[in-house]
Amino acid sequence: MMSLWKYLALAALVGLTVGPAAAAGDADRGEGIHAQRCEVCHGEEGDGAGAGAERLNPPPRDFTMAQYKIKTTGFEDILPDDDDLFRVIRDGMPGTSMPGWSDMLSDQDMWDLIAYLKVLGELEEEEPGVPVDFTTQIASSEDSIAKGKPLFEDRCVECHGNEGKGDAAKSLRDDDGERTWPRNLTKPWTFRASDDPKDIFARVSVGIAGTQMPPFADPKSKKKLTVEERWHVANYTASLGAAGEPVNPENTVVKAARIDGEVPRTPDDPSWRDSVPTTFYLVPQIIAEERHFTPSNDTITLRAVYNETDIAFLLQWDDRTKSIPGDSQAEKISGPGLAEDSVAVQLPVEIPEGMVKPYFVMGDTARPVNLWQWNSGTTDAPETVTLVNGRGIDNIEERDAAKAGVGANGSWRDGTWSVVMTRPLATAEPDADLQFVEGKFIPIAFAAWDGSNGETATKYTMTTWYWLLLAPEAGARPYVVALVVMLLVAAGLLWWARSAARRAGQAEG
Amino acid sequence: MPRLPKLLQAVLAVAVVYLGFVVVFDFALGQPIPKSLMIMFMFFVVIGVLMVFTFTEDGTRELVAPIRALVEDPAKKRLRNLVFVIVPLAAGALAFNQAQPSYEAPLELRAIHPAPPSSVELYDKRYDLLSLENPYRELETEDPEQFRELVAEGADVYIENCHFCHGDKLDGQGPYAQGLNPVPLSFQDLGTIAQLQESYLFWRIATGGPGLPDEAAPWISAMPVWQDFLSEDEIWKVILFLYDYTGHRPRSWEAE
């Protein structure tokens, strides 16, 4: 199956090559549509101060500043091509709250809006500059990607990180002083435009206006790249997307595989290699006070294995910052209020027999949950693991993690945390702890805190209930069953044919 | 026109129903039926078809005639030998697959719009849901200007609180929708607010997921309990906005 971002890339490609024919827009009509559809975010005056603005990151654009991220005109031109504007309004900007409008607005509506945006930005007299020349394209190939790699390492890693996960070594702000993060290039589904090399080439050439992403076509820049180099680096950047773990919405089960030896206790244990990863979206906690509207973590990838006595989980999520309070580098990047990073596994205390589960946000009074939580530690104290039983978000009972045998070990590298959590399948307190059972679907949920993004206590990201299955090995059973069925069916058919033949014989004789 | 053999008719009937399911759910609705549910449906379809075709004795005879001939007719020996190898092998393969441990998650069926209680306790007051009405609805005709203002205030409440899940186009596709299960409802759909009364919406909004009865699986619904965050007034205004933006009309007692 083609994944969503491939569809998006394809759609973008079609959009780039056959772009709509620009039509004249009516700014007055556009103003009316803006008031009806766009004002709640972009503000009555188009200045980005709509009702939703405070709870959105990135914030809605201030159209009076006339700064556009998606531009295929020159790096010095303020005005994007009309087709660029048309495209963002039609398709929206993935990874933000800016939706695509093609299902609700006609082409003419969008051209009218564009005319109005130009009025707001005082761009009516402005002529779009020379468009980016895509005919110079160098098709992606192993050779081109190999040439792009050293260029990327030289020009891009200072912001995008060694592996492109956006783990900037410095704190970046946009022109309005709003905190921004360099894109995680392994998650192409979050690109504002797309990961088509043409799109990346345009962004690298022109930069992203209003943010720190610089224009590498600028001949005055010390870091400038030639046309050819920009294509190589674009092809290399596009290849980074293969490292991302996109969410497959049909997969709702974390499959724990049975292994023979000891369960792994560290993230780089080789036995993780054989287990199947499952990735879920993380969504911010906006259900109970105090709510969290501007999350930074967006997905989490799980693996699990078990043996006769223990189970181990490997939790991995891209977090741009290793948040260790006391660490000067971490404090410089995060700003004030640095807290530990953290991750948690949530399980029901009792495996539900029917459909009824504990409330997915930390359980309820009738049906409590176990929460195993790992914290990244500070410069004074090492990482810790805690165990609590939740009967609701404000009804938490602290328990002894060591006594229940919950262990954890984490490490951070190039923008990704990898944390292993382990526990014996059975504990001494079956009334207070989940007892793992082979072959049963067990509800499971996850939560993560980014300590550099003000996430502590009820401000965190989480998943809804998914499933955990300790999948016993099938062993010889399927073969035996198949053989028995085969023999039975063959014997039945033979018996039928024989008795029919005998009857025919009798009839003749 | 030559009549198709009964057996072929029966097989075709089952195949057509199966394809129908696939076309409607996979392609038209884009929501494939889970495998286990499909097996159950098809089981009943096969039983139904068999019942129709074996309604009379002649029918039964005609249906099984080709199978009988295959097993009993000495002239069909070659074909028979072939079938006698293929059928047990196919049965074996099927059994092998069935005996593999399944990773398919258990099915969870829930009522999306359960019957409301006749009254609820909210904001330290008791509301009779049968007679409860939106106090601002009458302004729609009596004072359109003030009504527009209330709708605009409702839009602000919506964008500040609801669009994260239900989408700013009210299509159920907000930025966090894909991380939720069950997914947020689309108010543009004819099956949601267009079918409901404003008092029902008031109840669903004020008490949220945890206020649902058990048949609607309150433990997995991510809908917050809005009486904790919004005033009674704000809820009525956001309801005005929902109907205004989608162009739907609330259901009312008079209309029925």
Side-chain angles (χ1 to χ4, degrees), chain A residues 243-254:
Chain A
E245 300 265 11
V247 174
N248 169 9
E250 266 139 63
N251 187 5
T252 56
V253 184
V254 177

Side-chain angles (χ1 to χ4, degrees), chain A residues 316-335:
Chain A
Q316 290 179 298
W317 71 104
D318 290 353
D319 178 337
R320 293 181 167 88
T321 47
K322 183 181 183 186
S323 316
I324 305 288
D327 181 283
S328 59
Q329 171 65 7
E331 269 166 7
K332 204 174 80 201
I333 294 181
S334 106

Side-chain angles (χ1 to χ4, degrees), chain B residues 38-56:
Chain B
M38 191 70 169
I39 290 176
M40 199 167 80
F41 282 167
M42 289 315 294
F43 177 76
F44 287 117
V45 169
V46 170
I47 301 263
V49 167
L50 282 183
M51 267 163 53
V52 170
F53 277 82
T54 58
F55 194 64
T56 62

Side-chain angles (χ1 to χ4, degrees), chain A residues 99-116:
Chain A
W101 291 93
S102 56
D103 56 348
M104 198 168 259
L105 299 177
S106 70
D107 284 7
Q108 188 56 49
D109 289 343
M110 297 193 243
W111 290 121
D112 294 343
L113 279 165
I114 290 168
Y116 178 59

Side-chain angles (χ1 to χ4, degrees), chain A residues 37 40 51-52 55-56 97 99-101 103-104 252-253 255 281 283-284 286-287 289 291 293 295 355-360 441 464-467 469 471 474 477-479 482 485-486 489-490 493 496-497 500, chain B residues 67-68 71-72 84 87-89 91-92 95-96 99-106 108-109 155-156 159-161 163-164 168-169 171 175-176 178-181 188 210 217-222 224 226 229 245:
Chain A
R37 304 287 182 209
V40 279
R55 291 181 177 167
L56 297 177
S97 56
W101 291 93
D103 56 348
M104 198 168 259
T252 56
V253 184
K255 293 160 204 107
Y281 286 111
V283 294
I286 52 174
I287 293 180
E289 283 293 10
R291 297 182 282 175
F293 290 100
M355 223 174 80
V356 186
K357 296 175 194 166
Y359 186 46
F360 78 103
F441 281 90
T464 51
W465 281 126
Y466 292 103
W467 300 102
L469 179 67
R477 201 177 144 236
Y479 294 96
V485 167
M486 229 147 67
V489 171
L493 282 173
W496 186 2
Chain B
I67 305 176
R68 257 197 123 102
V71 177
E72 298 179 359
F84 277 22
V87 168
L89 276 181
F96 182 78
Q100 294 289 346
S102 154
Y103 291 144
E104 216 179 312
E108 293 183 295
L109 298 174
D156 288 355
I159 212 75
E160 283 166 19
N161 296 283
H163 95 276
F164 302 98
D168 73 306
K169 293 183 289 180
D171 54 3
Y176 305 129
Q178 44 191 357
L180 301 176
N181 176 23
Q188 301 284 4
W219 46 87
I220 48 173
S221 166
W226 288 104
F229 298 98
Y245 197 93

